Structures are given as C-alpha cells and as structure tokens.
Amino acid sequence: MNVLKLKGKIVENGFNNLTFAEAIGLPVSTFYRRLESDGIDFTIGEIQRIVKALKLTKYEAIEIFLTFKSQK
C-alpha cells in the first residue's frame, strides 16, 4: 500500500486524520495503527469506505492499495 499517496488524497479532499477516520467509521487510534502497519491491516470493507469517501477512481485505488514493495 502506498501510505504517502493515501495521506495526500486525504489532504486533497479537505480531511485531516481525525475527520477522515470519522468519515470512514473508524476510531482515530485504529486508523493510525492501520497507517503505521503500512496499510496491510485495512479490511476490504474499510478500503471500500476509503475509496468512496475520497471518490477515488479505479486507477487511483489500484495505485494506492495494490502497490508492491521491492525486497532489496
């Protein structure tokens, strides 16, 4: 997951972490934990709510949620 791109989209849409966590129905502490784990702990339902709240295109959602990290 590309956490930096997600954070950028959150700000672009006028949210901060607190207001965004509320918008997607997560306690802010849970949202922070999900981000700190590089997003691997987000559930499918949470990802769907994120995509909807940020009005992401399919391409943007793929860029954010389906990135691969190289193992160097």
Side-chain angles (χ1 to χ4, degrees), residues 24-38:
I24 61 169
L26 281 179
V28 71
S29 59
T30 301
F31 181 66
Y32 277 116
R33 277 195 305 275
R34 302 279 199 269
L35 291 178
E36 288 177 14
S37 71
D38 289 329

